[in-house]
């Protein structure tokens, strides 16, 4: 119950909430984010692949989220944080995570053409980013 209650705080990188669940505020990692395809049409599937390389000798807990900066009708952007995975990253090891998401309109979110940014967040820190172009 406590983890679910702190979900938003963890997404926001709140230091105390991260510590409560065993995540250090700054993960000792190198991250690479790959997005395919780079050009999408509404209804297409966006594929995300991230490689996390631990630079620490000891295991560390990581909370991995991704943030999509959606283009609004005015041309400005708003961000939506999505939970991805919580894991223990063994010392000096590498993991690869994959995820896909259909880019489509919802009653709560309408998509507009333009360049959208995706950021990778690990333990509240934004560590990598890439972008894609959406065409309607």
């Amino acid at each position: 119950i406590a983890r679910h209650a702190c979900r938003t705080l963890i997404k926001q990188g709140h230091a105390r909430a991260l510590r409560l669940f065993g995540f250090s505020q700054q993960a000792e990692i190198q991250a690479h984010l790959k997005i395919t395809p780079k050009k999408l049409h509404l209804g297409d599937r966006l594929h995300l692949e991230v490689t996390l390389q631990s630079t620490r000798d000891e295991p560390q807990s990581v909370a991995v989220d991704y943030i999509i900066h959606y283009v609004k009708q005015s041309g400005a952007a708003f961000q939506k944080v999505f939970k991805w995975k919580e894991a223990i990253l063994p010392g000096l090891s590498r993991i690869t995570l994959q995820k896909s998401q259909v880019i489509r309109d919802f009653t709560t979110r309408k998509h507009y053409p333009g360049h959208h940014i995706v950021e990778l967040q690990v333990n509240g820190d934004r560590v990598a980013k890439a972008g894609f172009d959406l065409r309607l």
Side-chain angles (χ1 to χ4, degrees):
I1 293 174
R3 184 177 295 270
H4 188 72
C6 291
R7 202 171 144 94
T8 300
L9 292 173
I10 291 171
K11 284 181 180 183
Q12 293 172 346
H14 190 273
R16 200 164 156 202
L18 287 165
R19 279 195 313 271
L20 181 64
F21 296 103
F23 304 110
S24 64
Q25 184 152 10
Q26 188 172 24
E28 296 176 39
I29 57 149
Q30 292 178 342
H32 176 71
L33 175 63
K34 179 182 173 186
I35 292 178
T36 53
K38 294 288 186 186
K39 295 181 182 179
L40 293 156
H41 288 89
L42 200 59
D44 288 349
R45 187 170 291 276
L46 176 68
H47 298 277
L48 307 172
E49 181 177 293
V50 64
T51 302
L52 299 176
Q53 172 70 49
S54 175
T55 58
R56 183 176 169 186
D57 292 335
E58 300 171 4
Q60 57 186 321
S61 295
V62 292
V64 181
D65 304 319
Y66 64 101
I67 303 158
I68 300 181
H69 297 264
Y70 291 107
V71 174
K72 296 185 341 183
Q73 187 174 16
S74 67
F78 78 94
Q79 61 184 20
K80 169 75 173 124
V81 181
F82 296 92
K83 295 299 294 173
W84 193 338
K85 184 163 183 79
E86 294 180 359
I88 296 176
L89 185 58
L92 301 176
S93 68
R94 177 184 304 181
I95 61 170
T96 300
L97 305 173
Q98 296 179 339
K99 187 158 194 93
S100 66
Q101 178 173 328
V102 175
I103 304 298
R104 62 186 172 114
D105 286 341
F106 295 96
T107 55
T108 56
R109 181 172 53 243
K110 182 166 172 47
H111 293 83
Y112 296 95
H115 188 70
H116 296 63
I117 302 293
V118 179
E119 286 187 291
L120 181 69
Q121 178 172 283
V122 179
N123 292 1
D125 288 331
R126 296 176 186 200
V127 296
K129 70 177 165 178
F132 66 93
D133 291 316
L134 179 64
R135 299 176 181 166
L136 298 181

